[in-house]
Amino acid sequence: MEDMEVEVAPGSSEAGVIVVSDSESSTEEEDVPMQVQSPSDRPRTSGLRVVRRRHISGSRTQFSPREERIRRLRELIVENLAERLSGSQDAPRSVPHVNPPALDPEPSSRHTAAAVNVPTSDESSATGSSVSTEAEASIAAARPEEPEQESESENPVAAAAAPAGETVADEGEGDTCSICFEPWTTAGDHRLAALRCGHLFGFICISRWLTGGGSKCPQCNKPAKRGHIIFLYARKLKALDNTEEVRLKSRLELEQGSRRMEQLEVAQCRQQMQLMADENVRLRKELEELRRLKAQAAFGSSQGASLSSSQRQDSSSGGHYVFSKAVLVSQTGGSRVLSYCEPLGCLLASQPSPQATLVPGFGVKKISAATLKPSQYVPIHSKQIRGLAFSRHQDSLLLSAALDNTLKLTSLMTNTVVQAYNTGRPVWSCCWCHDNNNYIYAGLAGGSVLVYDTRDTSTHVQELAPLRSSCPVVSLSYIPRAASSMFPCGGLIAGSLEGGCFWEHVEGTTYTPHILPLESGSCTDIQVEPDSRHCLVTYRPGRSNPSLRCVLMELSRTPQTDSRQPSVCSCSPVQTFTAGSSCKLLTKNAVFKSPAGDGATLVCAGDEATNSTMVWDAGTGALLQKMPADLPVLDICPFGVNQSSFLASLTEKMLKVYKWE
């Protein structure tokens, strides 16, 4: 340890006493502030005396570079003070140059003292006071323990004492994150945080570092994990105060969330408004349709008065059809064929997909026969459907033919396609074999008929080639065996624009063709009443007959004179029904037993000229009813539900249902 005292001689009334305490040891260095005493606090002495004591215990002390600089700075301050005191005296005395004692390598203590006399004149009081003040400030600036100390680079004395070319490292904590080089904050994600090794980072930066795969400190590579992160609260942390920013961001997120909720509510309201608008349009159309039907019913009643008394009597005694409900099938149109599924009690109308962008193609819409409400759309084909048929085995399998070169079987229980056949050509019609439910038929655009076995999923088992021309087979109907005593054989009736052909089903896959004596070039449809030997042939208007004609034919079988030759199947006209003068579409008509139960047969056909459905009595040929429609009637289907009889007529957009009363 070393103490240094500087005393002023008693001759100076203004002189003060300066006491410098210097303590050093082999392990650490303690600094004691310099005390400056005024003359009033200490008695005057006879002269200036500088006393230095030094005590070294143990071996030679090893100083760090910083401690060495501080020690040298103290020595320079003492020398500078002694020179200024000696230079301010009037006496010729001079203060000898005192070098700080070097460290004694020997483990012993020595005390040395050197007396320095200074003048006692009053003129030296001002100089002594200024020197003492400057010395006190210099020593205070060199103390490393004070938190408010100036950096060595800002102290002119320390800068002068530092060796040339040596930079003073900043020992402070810093104010930026070593990962992102952004300032720390006092709140939020970038708060000051530290690891167990002591290095400082922004919380979000070190969290992402350790979460993203890092397992060590980015600076010292010591093992670290996310649980080691702790927050620090520094006394003089230079951090950005972002409390207001965090508060505003939270408010912004709340506002954005509320705005999203409001936008969602607005979207829902718009959707509901659109649904209500669509419902309003639909109700308006139904109202207009009802008004039109009311007006036409009044007009029809006035025309009904002109019918003959016999026709009115037949109509009143047997009953008539009453409009029940109109169902919208397709907004854009495109409906073509109609069929009825008895096991499920629903009508099936073909239509294009209502969501063409999501589910393109064509399918069928289910319409409940009990409530007359559409229930579900079932997609089946990629192009327009031209034929629908059900078997008599109550298995709910729908046979459909389309222009996409396919023939498909669809289960209406699961609404899925269970079997598909690629015909290679567009399919215009289809039907089931009522004698053997394993066989189905497809009428192609080239005039041929393909026979498929549902047990063979690969290809067709037989092709019935066209006998006359290659016109499309627009209609297929199957007559079961023993339908009547006059016509006991069963087979397939194929109709095209060039006429009709009866393919007698002998056995297995053996078919015998019989060309029917029909008019060539104008046949548009052939429908069969399966419980009798009658078929309905429709002819479009021509030069010889300017009106649409529906001819009821009776099938017959004539044996040949030679028993070795097969019999000939033919047909003859029974009744002819005429309608309008226009027929541009290939419509499908119907022939069926009268719902009155008197054994009579009814014929129904669509009149394109007047956009109506016409009902005739097949026995008398009298027109029983004319039911108006908004568009040309394309298909007609009779059906029964809960011991009630109905008649459905299909247009491109609407399905109208009439009840027999």
Side-chain angles (χ1 to χ4, degrees):
M1 301 177 63
E2 180 179 350
D3 296 335
M4 181 177 68
E5 297 180 0
V6 180
E7 298 181 359
V8 182
S12 300
S13 60
E14 299 290 336
V17 179
I18 300 174
V19 179
V20 179
S21 178
D22 188 8
S23 301
E24 296 178 358
S25 66
S26 60
T27 58
E28 63 180 0
E29 183 177 9
E30 298 178 356
D31 298 334
V32 180
M34 179 180 291
Q35 300 178 359
V36 180
Q37 299 179 357
S38 62
S40 61
D41 298 334
R42 184 186 179 105
R44 298 180 179 178
T45 57
S46 58
L48 179 64
R49 182 178 60 190
V50 179
V51 181
R52 294 179 179 172
R53 301 184 181 92
R54 183 176 183 182
H55 174 71
I56 300 176
S57 61
S59 62
R60 184 179 181 86
T61 305
Q62 299 293 333
F63 296 103
S64 65
R66 178 177 176 83
E67 294 173 347
E68 183 67 23
R69 288 196 298 271
I70 294 174
R71 188 179 64 80
R72 293 178 58 190
L73 178 61
R74 289 194 182 125
E75 294 175 357
L76 291 175
I77 291 173
V78 173
E79 293 177 0
N80 190 15
L81 177 62
E83 291 177 359
R84 291 191 179 187
L85 290 176
S86 62
S88 63
Q89 303 297 328
D90 295 335
R93 302 178 188 177
S94 61
V95 180
H97 181 71
V98 181
N99 294 324
L103 296 177
D104 194 350
E106 299 295 330
S108 60
S109 304
R110 286 187 293 177
H111 301 278
T112 59
V116 181
N117 295 327
V118 297
T120 59
S121 175
D122 295 337
E123 297 176 358
S124 64
S125 61
T127 303
S129 300
S130 62
V131 172
S132 301
T133 304
E134 182 177 357
E136 183 179 13
S138 301
I139 295 175
R143 295 172 183 170
E145 293 82 357
E146 294 295 334
E148 296 84 13
Q149 68 179 358
E150 299 177 357
S151 62
E152 294 180 4
S153 60
E154 297 177 356
N155 193 334
V157 180
E166 182 179 356
T167 60
V168 180
D170 187 6
E171 300 291 338
E173 295 178 350
D175 57 355
T176 60
C177 175
S178 60
I179 296 179
C180 66
F181 301 101
E182 293 292 334
W184 296 312
T185 59
T186 58
D189 294 335
H190 208 254
R191 294 179 59 185
L192 179 60
L195 295 176
R196 290 185 177 180
C197 58
H199 291 102
L200 306 179
F201 309 91
F203 173 75
I204 188 64
C205 296
I206 190 60
S207 177
R208 289 176 179 173
W209 174 274
L210 297 178
T211 306
S215 60
K216 295 182 180 180
C217 174
Q219 292 190 2
C220 64
N221 288 333
K222 288 186 178 181
K225 58 184 180 180
R226 200 174 186 277
H228 294 169
I229 303 175
I230 59 174
F231 292 106
L232 297 181
Y233 304 89
R235 184 170 60 89
K236 292 191 66 178
L237 172 66
K238 294 181 180 180
L240 296 176
D241 187 4
N242 65 335
T243 306
E244 185 69 14
E245 179 184 358
V246 173
R247 185 180 66 84
L248 293 178
K249 283 184 177 180
S250 62
R251 290 185 58 185
L252 177 61
E253 292 177 355
L254 292 177
E255 292 294 334
Q256 290 177 347
S258 61
R259 183 177 180 181
R260 285 193 293 268
M261 293 297 296
E262 292 176 357
Q263 291 177 351
L264 180 60
E265 292 178 358
V266 170
Q268 292 177 351
C269 292
R270 287 179 179 176
Q271 185 178 7
Q272 293 178 358
M273 184 178 66
Q274 184 65 31
L275 293 176
M276 295 300 294
D278 296 341
E279 184 70 13
N280 186 20
V281 172
R282 187 184 65 81
L283 292 176
R284 286 180 180 273
K285 289 183 178 180
E286 289 186 0
L287 179 60
E288 293 177 359
E289 182 67 20
L290 291 175
R291 288 176 179 176
R292 187 184 301 109
L293 291 175
K294 183 178 179 181
Q296 292 178 355
F299 178 74
S301 63
S302 62
Q303 282 188 344
S306 62
L307 293 175
S308 62
S309 59
S310 61
Q311 291 177 353
R312 289 198 305 268
Q313 182 179 0
D314 294 337
S315 177
S316 60
S317 62
H320 62 284
Y321 284 105
V322 178
F323 175 77
S324 179
K325 190 174 182 180
V327 180
L328 179 64
V329 178
S330 175
Q331 288 275 6
T332 59
S335 298
R336 187 70 190 184
V337 291
L338 183 65
S339 185
Y340 176 67
C341 179
E342 186 175 356
L344 297 180
C346 64
L347 288 167
L348 298 176
S350 66
Q351 69 164 110
S353 174
Q355 301 291 338
T357 56
L358 299 177
V359 185
F362 289 77
V364 294
K365 176 172 285 187
K366 289 183 177 180
I367 302 172
S368 174
T371 61
L372 298 180
K373 292 183 179 180
S375 59
Q376 191 175 9
Y377 169 77
V378 182
I380 302 177
H381 293 275
S382 60
K383 292 185 179 180
Q384 189 182 50
I385 298 175
R386 302 292 300 197
L388 297 175
F390 284 96
S391 67
R392 291 186 173 184
H393 287 256
Q394 311 290 328
D395 52 4
S396 301
L397 280 180
L398 173 65
L399 177 64
S400 59
L403 300 180
D404 58 355
N405 304 344
T406 59
L407 184 71
K408 294 185 178 181
L409 288 172
T410 304
S411 173
L412 297 182
M413 300 296 294
T414 59
N415 296 329
T416 56
V417 177
V418 297
Q419 183 62 45
Y421 297 97
N422 186 6
T423 61
R425 285 159 288 179
V427 187
W428 283 70
S429 57
C430 62
C431 71
W432 290 80
C433 177
H434 297 314
D435 292 330
N436 188 346
N437 199 48
N438 293 323
Y439 292 100
I440 55 178
Y441 304 97
L444 305 184
S448 60
V449 178
L450 297 182
V451 183
Y452 288 91
D453 189 348
T454 57
R455 296 166 294 185
D456 184 3
T457 60
S458 58
T459 182
H460 59 275
V461 295
Q462 189 177 358
E463 180 176 358
L464 305 179
L467 299 180
R468 289 185 176 179
S469 64
S470 59
C471 293
V473 180
V474 295
S475 62
L476 281 178
S477 300
Y478 192 88
I479 299 177
R481 291 189 181 96
S484 65
S485 58
M486 296 297 295
F487 195 79
C489 57
L492 181 69
I493 294 181
S496 65
L497 296 178
E498 296 297 329
C501 179
F502 175 67
W503 294 90
E504 182 182 358
H505 190 191
V506 181
E507 59 180 355
T509 58
T510 304
Y511 294 86
T512 302
H514 301 276
I515 297 177
L516 300 177
L518 304 179
E519 297 180 10
S520 177
S522 61
C523 179
T524 60
D525 181 59
I526 300 178
Q527 298 294 328
V528 175
E529 204 287 306
D531 296 332
S532 66
R533 60 184 184 276
H534 293 93
C535 62
L536 182 67
V537 181
T538 304
Y539 296 103
R540 65 173 51 181
R543 293 181 180 180
S544 58
N545 295 291
S547 300
L548 175 69
R549 291 173 299 137
C550 296
V551 180
L552 186 64
M553 297 283 189
E554 183 180 10
L555 296 173
S556 62
R557 182 182 182 185
T558 304
Q560 296 289 345
T561 57
D562 189 356
S563 60
R564 293 175 298 179
Q565 295 180 357
S567 59
V568 177
C569 296
S570 182
C571 63
S572 57
V574 176
Q575 195 68 255
T576 301
F577 312 95
T578 59
S581 60
S582 176
C583 183
K584 298 180 181 179
L585 302 174
L586 297 177
T587 60
K588 293 183 178 298
N589 303 323
V591 53
F592 54 93
K593 292 292 184 181
S594 174
D598 53 358
T601 302
L602 297 181
V603 173
C604 291
D607 185 11
E608 188 175 333
T610 59
N611 291 340
S612 60
T613 303
M614 307 183 74
V615 181
W616 292 280
D617 186 353
T620 62
L623 178 63
L624 301 180
Q625 282 185 268
K626 188 175 182 179
M627 298 172 289
D630 54 344
L631 293 173
V633 177
L634 300 177
D635 199 354
I636 298 172
C637 178
F639 64 96
V641 178
N642 298 329
Q643 298 180 355
S644 298
S645 298
F646 296 88
L647 182 67
S649 63
L650 178 68
T651 64
E652 286 187 354
K653 296 182 179 180
M654 300 289 295
L655 174 69
K656 290 186 177 181
V657 180
Y658 302 90
K659 185 178 180 182
W660 179 265
E661 292 182 356

